[in-house]
Amino acid sequence: MESVRTILTHRYPYPHEHSRHAIIAVVVGCLFFISSDNMHTLIEKLDNNIKWWSMYACLLGFFYFFSSPFIGKTIKPSYSNFSRWYIAWILVAALYHLPSFQSMGVDMRMNLSLFLTIYVSSILFLLVFHVIFLGLWYLGLVSRVAGRRPEIWTIFQNCAVLSVACCVFYSHCGNSAILKQSPYERKTSGWFSLWRKEEMNSWLAKFIRMNELKDQVCSSWFAPVGSASDYPLLSKWVIYGEGAGSSDEISPIYSLWATFIGLYIANYVVERSTGWALTHPLSVEEYEKLKKKQMKPDFLDMVPWYSGTSADLFKTVFDLLVSVTVFVGRFDMRMMQASMSKSEKDGAAQDLFYDHFRERDDFWFDFMADTGDGGNSSYSVARLLAQPFLRLTTDDSMVFLPRGDLLLIGGDLAYPNPSAFTYERRLFCPFEYALQPPPWYKPEQIAVNKPEVPFGSSLKQYDGPQTFIIPGNHDWFDGLHTFMRYICHKSWLGGWLMPQKKSYFALQLPKGWWVFGLDLALHGDIDVYQFKFFSELANTKVGSDDTVIIMTHEPTWLLDWYWNNVSGKNVSHLIRDYLKGRCKLRIAGDLHHYMRHSYVPSDRPVYVQHLLVNGCGGAFLHPTHVFCNFKEFLGNKYENRAAYPSIDDSSRIALGNILKFRKKNWQFDFIGGIIYFVLVFSLFPQCKLDHILRDDSFSGHLRSFFATVWGSFIYILEHSYVSLLGALLLLVAAITFVPSKVSRKKRGIIGILHVSAHLSAALILMLLLELGVETCIRHKLLATSGYHTLYQWYRTVESEHFPDPTGLRARIEQWTFGLYPACIKYLMSAFDVPEVMAVTRSNICKNGMDTLSRGGAAIYYASVFLYFWVFSTPVVSLVFGSYLYICINWLHIHFDEAFSSLRIANYKSFTRFHINREGDMEVYTLAVDKVPKEWKLDPDWDGEPRQPQQMSHLREYPSKWSAATPIQDPVNTVKIVDHFVIHRTDKPNSAACNGSAAR
C-alpha cells in the first residue's frame, strides 16, 4: 500500500515524473474490463478438467509462497525487487502455455507478444524524446527546470503502464476497425446517453449484462479516430486495424498508444519547460509542515543472520576465524592496554579506577547489553534510558524512576561485526537520536586527553549522565580495533559522557558499592593483568563491608551449565578467594533475554547472591525456556525468580520457525534453492513416467508416485555423482551443525533425519515438476515448435492483426540497424523457457544425454533451475524451520540459531538500580513488549525552546523521535517485570534475599 500511496499522492513540492491520472485510469479500466468480460466468459466456459485446475492450483500456490515474503514490503532491498520481477517473468511464461486461459477467451500469446512489442517501442520513443529535450535544454532553448533528468526506472514504469493499457484494450475491445457512425448517432450513443431518463431501464439491463456494457464502452469511447486518408502526413507512420486491405482505418490501439504518449510528453514539457514547479510553489509554512510530517529516522533492519547474499555475514565469519587463530592465544589487546599504562600506580589511578561517584548521596544507574541490532529496538531502549524520569504504574501505586547518572553497557555493541559502519549506524545513531551529544561535538574528533569534561569541570562536578562499557564477543571479532577507536578514543555516546580509556575498569559507587567491569575477550575469562589489577583492588581498596557487582559480557553460570563446560576460572578464583562473599550480584548480557536466579539459603558459604542476565538492549530475542532447569553455581543452589519473556511465552514464540522462517529470512533462498537443485541434479529428466499417469485411481497414482520417489533415491546411491556428492556434503554439514553438547550418536541420528527430510522434499518437488512438464507435452502444449516459438507465432499473425501496407516496420528495422526486431525477439524468447525445457527434455529422452552439446545441456539445466528454484525455496525454508522448532522445543538445542532466525525486535528491557541513603540497592527491570516500527518527529522535542550550548540531558524532552502512534510509544508502554532489593548488610546465610517475583 505504501507503493500505491506514493504513486497516487503528492509527497514533494516538485511534481511527479509520471501522470497519476493515467495510472488511475489504467487500473480502473483493467478492473472494469476483467469484471465485464473475463468473469462472464469464465462462468460460461469454465473448464471442468480437474487435471488442469489442480495444476493451476499447484503452480499458483508455489508462486504465492515464493513471493509471500515480499507482499506489503518496500522495494528497498535489491533482492526483494529482483524477486518481484523474477516471479512475474516465469509465472507469465508458465501460464501462457496452459490451456485454461484459452478456454476463458483470453489469448495469452497475443497479449504477451503485443505487450513486449509496445513496451520496447515505447521505451525507444521516449528515450529519443528525452535525448532531444535535454539537447534543447543544453542549447538554452527551454527553462532551466528541464535540466533535471528523469529517472530511467520512471520511463520504464510509464512504458509498462501504457503497454498494459493497450493490451487490456486489445483483449476486450479488439483491433478491428469499427464502422463510422453518423455525427448524430455518435453524439447520442456516448456514455452520457445512458443516463437519460427514458433509457434508464436499458442502462440497468446493460449493467447486469456487463459484457454488453463493455461493448458499448469500446464502440463509443475507444472508437478509431478516423482513416489514414484524413491525416495524409501520418499515413506512413500509423498502425492500421484488421482488414486494412479493404479499409484504411487507423488502429484503435495505435490511437490509445499515441494518446498516452502525447499525454506524457505534454505533461513533461509543461512541467519542465514552463517552470510549473516554480510558478506553483508551496508556502514556506506548508513546506516545513509537510517536511516534518515526512521526516522519519533512517533506522537499519534487524540483521538477517540467514542471508545467503549478505557481505556483512561473510565478513563476520572471516573476522571470527582471524580473531580465533590470530588474537586468541597469540596477540591480546588487553596485554597492550596493560603495557600502555605509564606505571602500575598511575595506570590504576587514571586509566582503570574511577571513584568520582562515591560521594553522592542518592545514586541511580542503569544496565543494558547487546544493543546495535535493529534500529527500532535499539532506539526504543535508548529513548527510555534518556528520559529524565519514567512514570510507571504498579498494582497499588505510582513509581517515578529518574534517569541513571551512570549507564553500564555489557558488550556486543553492534551486529553482526564491529566496523565503522555498524558502530555508527547501529549504535551511535539510535543513542544520538535519544540524547543528542553536545553542540560542539564532532563525530570525527579523537579524544586525546580523556576525560574531556564539558566547561572545564572535573568528573566529580559533572552532573550529566555517563557511560562505561565492556566489550563482548562480537566486539572482539576484529581484535578490539573498532571498540578502542569508538569507545576508548571518543568522549560521547550521544549525550552520555564516556570517560573510560580501557576495555575494563573498576567503579567505586556510593555507600560501599563497587562495579568491576571485566573484559572476557574470546577466552571467556580475564587475563593475568586484569586478575592482578582486580585482586589487588579487592585487597587494598574494597572494604570488608563493601559490596561488589561483577559485570561480564557472558553469563558463564548459564552457558557453562548449558554446554556442560567450565570457563571463567580466573573470574571464579577472584570471586571465591579474593572477594570472599562480598560479591552479591553478577550481571551479564550475551543472552538476549532477562533472567534472574537467586540463591537458596543453606549452610554452605555463598559467594554470589543474585545472578542476573539482561541482554535485551536491542538485539534479537533469545529463549528463556531452554535455561529453566539451571539450579547450581559455585556449589550453591539457585532458583529462577524472574524470566522475560516468560517460560510459556518463550516456548510459544519458537513456533514462529515453522510459520515465519522464510518471511523473516527470504535471503536464505539463495542457499536453499541451490542445495535442493544439487540434490536432484542427476535425476533430470525423468523420461519414464507412464506408470504414474496410467493409474486410474487416486491411491494408485500415489503408490506409483512414491515408488518413483524411492526409485530415484536408489538411483542417487547407485549411479549419481553430483547428487550423491551433494547429499554427502549436506549430511556432513547437518551433523556438524548439531551442537557439540549432544553425543556423537545423537548428532548422527539428528543429522541423518534432517538430511532425509530435505532429500525427500527435493525428490518430491523434482517429480512434481517433471510430471507437470510431461502432462503438457502429452497434450501438445509444450515441445511442439522449438526455440523462439512466441516470436515465430507473433510474426505469422502480425500481418493479419496489425497490417503494415506502408512498410513502417521495415523502415524502423533499417533505421535501428536491426536492433528493434532483435530486442523484441530475444525478449519474447525469455518467455519461452518452458518450451525450451520441454523441447530439450524430449530430445534427451529420445536420443540420450550424450547427444546433447555442452551449451544445450547448460541451457536445459538453467531452464529447469529457474522453475525448480521457485518450487524449492518455500519448501526448504519450511523443512529447516520445522527442524529448528523441534530442536528448540523438544531437544532444547539450537537456542541461538532457532531464535536468531525469527529476528524478533520485541521484548526489550534494561535494569535500573537505586542505591538509597541507607546503602540498600533497589533493582527494577523495565521492559517493553512491543517495539514501534513507525516513528515521527516528536512535537514536544521540536517545540521545546533551546538555549545556546545547552546540554541535551537538561531538556525536558531529550529524544527526537516518538512513536507514530502515541499509545505504542515505549514511554507509555514500559512496565516493571522484576523488582527486588539487595540489602547492604545482608549476610550470605540470612533467611531471605529480599527478591520479589516478576510482575
Side-chain angles (χ1 to χ4, degrees):
M1 290 305 296
E2 184 65 24
S3 301
V4 176
R5 193 178 299 114
T6 302
I7 293 173
L8 301 183
T9 59
H10 285 296
R11 311 201 91 192
Y12 303 97
Y14 195 84
H16 280 290
E17 300 281 358
H18 54 271
S19 171
R20 295 177 292 119
H21 306 290
I23 295 179
I24 295 174
V26 170
V27 172
V28 173
C30 288
L31 294 177
F32 169 75
F33 282 127
I34 290 173
S35 63
S36 64
D37 194 12
N38 275 14
M39 296 304 296
H40 175 267
T41 311
L42 176 63
I43 295 172
E44 294 292 330
K45 301 180 179 181
L46 182 63
D47 189 356
N48 294 322
N49 194 331
I50 189 64
K51 174 172 53 183
W52 295 115
W53 289 108
S54 60
M55 187 176 294
Y56 264 100
C58 291
L59 185 66
L60 295 176
F62 277 111
F63 276 77
Y64 169 76
F65 285 116
F66 179 86
S67 59
S68 59
F70 318 115
I71 297 176
K73 285 184 175 288
T74 62
I75 59 173
K76 217 172 183 182
S78 57
Y79 179 79
S80 176
N81 199 19
F82 159 77
S83 297
R84 285 187 177 93
W85 288 104
Y86 177 81
I87 203 72
W89 164 40
I90 59 175
L91 177 60
V92 171
L95 290 181
Y96 100 82
H97 285 92
L98 296 181
S100 295
F101 274 105
Q102 280 81 354
S103 68
M104 290 162 52
V106 179
D107 192 345
M108 284 289 293
R109 289 188 298 182
M110 176 55 77
N111 279 276
L112 180 58
S113 55
L114 181 62
F115 170 82
L116 295 175
T117 303
I118 298 176
Y119 186 63
V120 173
S121 304
S122 303
I123 290 176
L124 293 176
F125 190 90
L126 291 184
L127 286 177
V128 171
F129 161 73
H130 282 293
V131 169
I132 295 174
F133 197 76
L134 287 175
L136 294 176
W137 167 80
Y138 182 78
L139 296 176
L141 300 179
V142 293
S143 172
R144 63 183 179 88
V145 185
R148 181 185 172 192
R149 299 179 182 179
E151 294 287 342
I152 188 66
W153 289 111
T154 304
I155 298 177
F156 289 167
Q157 175 180 293
N158 292 325
C159 294
V161 169
L162 65 91
S163 301
V164 169
C166 293
C167 291
V168 170
F169 170 78
Y170 175 81
S171 296
H172 303 280
C173 293
N175 187 41
S176 59
I178 302 175
L179 295 177
K180 289 184 178 180
Q181 299 171 333
S182 64
Y184 176 78
E185 290 174 337
R186 183 180 293 274
K187 180 178 179 181
T188 59
S189 64
W191 174 272
F192 292 101
S193 66
L194 298 174
W195 292 91
R196 295 176 57 179
K197 185 174 181 179
E198 60 269 24
E199 298 182 6
M200 183 63 69
N201 292 334
S202 175
W203 180 85
L204 290 175
K206 291 178 180 179
F207 182 78
I208 295 173
R209 299 188 297 274
M210 293 290 290
N211 59 318
E212 296 182 11
L213 178 62
K214 180 266 300 181
D215 292 338
Q216 183 169 356
V217 172
C218 290
S219 62
S220 59
W221 281 24
F222 297 106
V225 297
S227 64
S229 59
D230 298 331
Y231 309 96
L233 294 178
L234 298 177
S235 60
K236 294 184 178 182
W237 305 97
V238 298
I239 301 296
Y240 292 85
E242 293 171 298
S246 58
S247 173
D248 61 348
E249 289 286 351
I250 297 175
S251 168
I253 294 180
Y254 175 82
S255 303
L256 186 63
W257 176 82
T259 301
F260 272 102
I261 290 291
L263 286 174
Y264 175 87
I265 293 176
N267 181 57
Y268 189 87
V269 171
V270 169
E271 289 180 354
R272 300 304 181 89
S273 183
T274 63
W276 184 93
L278 299 180
T279 58
H280 297 78
L282 293 174
S283 66
V284 175
E285 182 179 352
E286 291 176 342
Y287 178 74
E288 290 297 328
K289 187 180 296 185
L290 183 65
K291 184 178 178 182
K292 290 178 181 178
K293 186 178 180 180
Q294 294 172 351
M295 287 182 65
K296 293 181 180 180
D298 187 20
F299 289 146
L300 297 179
D301 292 333
M302 305 289 286
V303 173
W305 294 99
Y306 285 87
S307 170
T309 59
S310 175
D312 275 345
L313 296 184
F314 290 110
K315 182 180 182 300
T316 301
V317 174
F318 176 78
D319 287 344
L320 179 59
L321 292 175
V322 172
S323 298
V324 170
T325 57
V326 176
F327 293 104
V328 176
R330 292 171 175 82
F331 176 79
D332 196 330
M333 181 62 74
R334 298 174 299 182
M335 291 189 293
M336 178 174 286
Q337 293 180 75
S339 64
M340 288 173 63
S341 298
K342 297 179 181 178
S343 64
E344 193 172 322
K345 179 179 179 181
D346 231 5
Q350 295 184 7
D351 296 347
L352 302 173
F353 174 63
Y354 301 86
D355 61 352
H356 54 286
F357 294 119
R358 65 186 178 91
E359 296 180 359
R360 301 198 181 184
D361 195 27
D362 199 56
F363 189 70
W364 293 80
F365 66 100
D366 300 324
F367 170 75
M368 56 96 70
D370 300 276
T371 185
D373 193 349
N376 293 323
S377 54
S378 297
Y379 177 74
S380 296
V381 176
R383 174 170 166 78
L384 293 173
L385 292 169
Q387 300 306 302
F389 64 88
L390 295 174
R391 180 172 53 242
L392 301 104
T393 303
T394 59
D395 296 335
D396 52 0
S397 62
M398 184 79 70
V399 179
F400 291 86
L401 305 180
R403 177 176 53 217
D405 299 313
L406 167 67
L407 171 61
L408 300 173
I409 302 181
D412 277 1
L413 307 182
Y415 294 89
N417 56 67
S419 66
F421 175 80
T422 56
Y423 264 56
E424 290 172 4
R425 292 297 306 278
R426 296 189 181 274
L427 173 65
F428 279 80
C429 177
F431 275 83
E432 288 175 356
Y433 279 144
L435 192 65
Q436 287 75 45
W440 60 85
Y441 169 73
K442 297 180 180 179
E444 66 276 4
Q445 183 178 351
I446 299 296
V448 179
N449 297 312
K450 294 183 71 173
E452 296 180 342
V453 184
F455 311 115
S457 59
S458 64
L459 275 176
K460 286 186 178 181
Q461 297 171 331
Y462 180 66
D463 61 350
Q466 304 174 36
T467 182
F468 284 81
I469 306 170
I470 59 172
N473 57 303
H474 282 266
D475 303 303
W476 267 95
F477 284 175
D478 67 343
L480 212 64
H481 170 76
T482 307
F483 180 91
M484 296 296 294
R485 176 185 172 189
Y486 279 88
I487 304 302
C488 298
H489 295 156
K490 288 186 180 292
S491 291
W492 297 95
L493 175 61
W496 285 269
L497 177 67
M498 292 191 295
Q500 78 182 82
K501 302 178 183 178
K502 307 296 181 185
S503 63
Y504 55 93
F505 51 83
L507 299 174
Q508 187 176 6
L509 305 182
K511 310 299 181 181
W513 286 87
W514 294 72
V515 174
F516 285 2
L518 311 183
D519 180 5
L520 304 184
L522 295 175
H523 299 269
D525 204 355
I526 57 176
D527 62 317
V528 64
Y529 300 100
Q530 278 190 88
F531 182 84
K532 181 180 180 182
F533 166 71
F534 287 112
S535 61
E536 290 182 352
L537 199 64
N539 289 333
T540 58
K541 290 186 177 293
V542 179
S544 59
D545 294 329
D546 288 355
T547 303
V548 178
I549 301 171
I550 296 290
M551 179 173 70
T552 58
H553 172 63
E554 292 182 349
T556 53
W557 57 94
L558 286 181
L559 295 178
D560 286 351
W561 168 82
Y562 177 83
W563 295 107
N564 194 22
N565 189 23
V566 178
S567 64
K569 295 181 179 179
N570 291 340
V571 178
S572 300
H573 181 35
L574 176 68
I575 293 174
R576 279 197 306 255
D577 300 328
Y578 287 87
L579 294 179
K580 299 178 180 178
R582 289 176 289 180
C583 177
K584 293 188 178 179
L585 176 66
R586 284 196 63 177
I587 55 177
D590 193 50
L591 296 178
H592 309 159
H593 58 227
Y594 175 77
M595 292 193 80
R596 174 172 66 90
H597 292 84
S598 298
Y599 82 103
V600 178
S602 65
D603 296 333
R604 299 175 63 87
V606 178
Y607 299 105
V608 184
Q609 294 186 19
H610 303 277
L611 304 170
L612 186 150
V613 182
N614 193 346
C616 300
F620 65 88
L621 185 68
H622 269 145
T624 54
H625 66 279
V626 174
F627 302 94
C628 60
N629 294 325
F630 166 79
K631 296 185 181 301
E632 187 172 347
F633 178 64
L634 294 179
N636 295 108
K637 298 293 184 180
Y638 288 82
E639 61 180 355
N640 181 21
R641 292 296 188 88
Y644 180 77
S646 67
I647 304 300
D648 293 337
D649 287 343
S650 174
S651 180
R652 192 161 44 248
I653 290 170
L655 184 63
N657 275 292
I658 298 178
L659 305 176
K660 300 179 181 179
F661 180 87
R662 184 165 183 271
K663 186 175 182 179
K664 297 285 187 178
N665 304 279
W666 41 265
Q667 290 165 308
F668 186 66
D669 292 351
F670 184 77
I671 298 175
I674 292 177
I675 291 175
Y676 268 35
F677 184 69
V678 171
L679 289 177
V680 297
F681 178 84
S682 301
L683 300 175
F684 287 107
Q686 292 286 307
C687 298
K688 299 179 181 179
L689 299 177
D690 295 340
H691 60 290
I692 300 179
L693 301 175
R694 274 200 310 264
D695 286 316
D696 296 329
S697 63
F698 181 73
S699 59
H701 285 303
L702 285 181
R703 283 194 299 270
S704 300
F705 181 86
F706 285 107
T708 306
V709 171
W710 175 253
S712 300
F713 174 70
I714 299 300
Y715 178 85
I716 291 177
L717 296 179
E718 294 180 349
H719 302 94
S720 171
Y721 293 101
V722 176
S723 297
L724 180 61
L725 179 61
L728 292 176
L729 291 176
L730 183 62
L731 179 61
V732 172
I735 295 175
T736 307
F737 185 64
V738 180
S740 57
K741 64 172 293 184
V742 182
S743 66
R744 292 184 178 180
K745 181 179 179 181
K746 291 183 178 179
R747 291 175 69 186
I749 295 174
I750 294 172
I752 291 174
L753 292 177
H754 187 192
V755 172
S756 299
H758 284 298
L759 184 58
S760 300
L763 292 173
I764 291 173
L765 291 175
M766 176 274 302
L767 198 53
L768 286 175
L769 178 61
E770 286 291 287
L771 281 173
V773 176
E774 178 69 19
T775 303
C776 290
I777 293 175
R778 285 171 178 252
H779 288 79
K780 301 187 183 303
L781 297 173
L782 291 176
T784 57
S785 303
Y787 302 159
H788 302 298
T789 56
L790 181 61
Y791 181 73
Q792 293 170 1
W793 176 88
Y794 178 71
R795 292 303 298 265
T796 59
V797 301
E798 186 179 36
S799 59
E800 175 186 351
H801 293 274
F802 302 100
D804 182 22
T806 63
L808 175 61
R809 279 188 286 269
R811 294 198 301 274
I812 295 177
E813 181 177 356
Q814 181 180 2
W815 293 336
T816 59
F817 303 100
L819 182 64
Y820 172 74
C823 289
I824 295 177
K825 177 179 180 179
Y826 288 105
L827 269 178
M828 289 185 178
S829 66
F831 290 88
D832 281 326
V833 174
E835 181 71 12
V836 171
M837 177 170 55
V839 169
T840 312
R841 179 183 184 275
S842 298
N843 293 336
I844 295 174
C845 292
K846 182 178 180 180
N847 303 318
M849 180 67 76
D850 296 336
T851 60
L852 201 64
S853 65
R854 290 186 178 182
I859 293 175
Y860 170 69
Y861 284 113
S863 62
V864 171
F865 175 76
L866 289 174
Y867 282 95
F868 188 79
W869 189 54
V870 174
F871 296 160
S872 62
T873 47
V875 177
V876 65
S877 296
L878 177 64
V879 173
F880 188 69
S882 301
Y883 164 79
L884 291 178
Y885 171 75
I886 293 172
C887 288
I888 189 64
N889 270 16
W890 296 0
L891 306 178
H892 284 188
I893 59 176
H894 289 309
F895 74 88
D896 205 14
E897 296 84 354
F899 269 64
S900 63
S901 64
L902 298 176
R903 303 169 64 190
I904 297 175
N906 298 324
Y907 299 100
K908 293 296 161 272
S909 69
F910 69 96
T911 302
R912 179 156 288 179
F913 302 88
H914 177 214
I915 302 175
N916 58 29
R917 290 179 172 83
E918 289 75 28
D920 298 334
M921 186 168 70
E922 292 183 274
V923 184
Y924 301 87
T925 296
L926 312 178
V928 174
D929 290 341
K930 189 172 181 60
V931 168
K933 296 180 180 179
E934 297 292 333
W935 303 90
K936 66 178 181 180
L937 188 67
D938 191 343
D940 295 325
W941 177 89
D942 189 50
E944 184 178 356
R946 296 179 177 85
Q947 301 297 328
Q949 303 300 310
Q950 181 186 23
M951 300 292 289
S952 58
H953 69 271
L954 300 176
R955 299 186 59 176
E956 183 179 358
Y957 303 101
S959 300
K960 184 175 182 178
W961 309 106
S962 60
T965 305
I967 197 174
Q968 296 179 354
D969 196 285
V971 176
N972 300 324
T973 60
V974 63
K975 63 181 181 180
I976 300 175
V977 295
D978 190 22
H979 175 217
F980 64 102
V981 179
I982 303 177
H983 294 285
R984 183 170 176 268
T985 56
D986 269 353
K987 299 300 179 184
N989 293 328
S990 60
C993 61
N994 298 291
S996 63
R999 301 180 184 181

